[in-house]
């Protein structure tokens, strides 16, 4: 084997780890920003119609105030982001965080089906409403979460 073919696996590993770091960094940054915003009154009011119409999460408002529900969701998102970022130190904790992110984004994507007006049919095709356009980004974040979970699982 020549020198170029021997270095290919190292280059491939470097490219993979660079891609992984960028993917993980964007996912973590997004989760941190979204989580931090949940501590604001505007965001608490903004997510209220989504959470209130969810059969999986509406019960939270019977126990906690509007702001407390938002704070709880934000705290979970921040903890999940922190766990994912621990990957260089603990693949197991990163895997747990990634699974938490998968659950988070599955829950938020479920709002597409429970929030009135999230999507409707126009000429026989589903069209996203305002809430649906807001929520569809979580499909990409769900994919990133599955990716980081799979990568962390490989290291366990």
């Amino acid at each position: 084997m020549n020198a170029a073919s021997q270095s290919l696996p190292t280059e491939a590993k470097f490219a993979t780890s660079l891609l992984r770091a960028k993917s993980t960094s964007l996912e973590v940054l997004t989760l941190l920003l979204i989580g931090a915003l949940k501590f604001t009154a505007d965001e608490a009011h903004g997510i209220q119609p989504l959470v209130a119409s969810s059969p999986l999460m509406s019960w939270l408002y019977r126990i906690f105030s509007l702001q407390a529900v938002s704070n709880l969701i934000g705290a979970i998102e921040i903890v999940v982001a922190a766990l994912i970022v621990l990957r260089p130190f603990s693949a197991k904790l990163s895997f747990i965080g990634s699974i938490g992110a998968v659950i988070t984004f599955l829950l938020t994507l479920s709002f597409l089906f429970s929030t009135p007006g999230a999507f409707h049919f126009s000429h026989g095709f589903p069209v996203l409403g305002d809430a649906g356009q807001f929520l569809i980004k979580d499909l990409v974040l769900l994919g990133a979460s599955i990716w980081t979970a799979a990568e962390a699982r490989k290291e366990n």
Side-chain angles (χ1 to χ4, degrees):
M1 273 207 280
N2 63 29
S5 64
Q6 287 178 342
S7 68
L8 187 59
T10 304
E11 290 171 4
K13 287 179 185 176
F14 176 74
T16 301
S17 60
L18 186 62
L19 178 62
R20 179 189 312 141
K22 284 185 178 185
S23 171
T24 302
S25 298
L26 289 174
E27 181 184 10
V28 166
L29 181 61
T30 302
L31 272 167
L32 284 173
L33 289 173
I34 291 171
L37 285 172
K38 296 289 190 300
F39 290 88
T40 67
D42 285 344
E43 186 70 9
H45 288 286
I47 67 168
Q48 191 273 336
L50 303 172
V51 176
S53 64
S54 169
L56 301 172
M57 297 181 67
S58 60
W59 60 271
L60 290 168
Y61 290 122
R62 290 192 294 270
I63 300 170
F64 303 111
S65 70
L66 179 81
Q67 188 62 57
V69 169
S70 190
N71 291 353
L72 175 65
I73 294 168
I76 290 168
E77 291 168 343
I78 291 169
V79 167
V80 163
L83 288 171
I84 293 169
V85 84
L86 290 174
R87 176 123 179 249
F89 308 103
S90 173
K92 185 175 186 174
L93 289 176
S94 182
F95 176 73
I96 292 167
S98 294
I99 294 301
V102 167
I103 293 166
T104 297
F105 295 123
L106 284 173
L107 279 170
T108 58
L109 285 169
S110 75
F111 296 161
L112 284 170
F113 306 102
S114 61
T115 303
F119 77 92
H120 58 277
F121 287 93
S122 177
H123 306 293
F125 294 100
V127 177
L128 294 174
D130 290 341
Q133 291 174 20
F134 169 74
L135 293 168
I136 201 67
K137 71 181 178 331
D138 290 354
L139 189 58
V140 174
L141 294 169
L142 173 62
S145 300
I146 292 169
W147 174 298
T148 58
E151 291 292 313
R153 180 72 173 126
K154 276 193 244 177
E155 290 182 23
N156 273 334

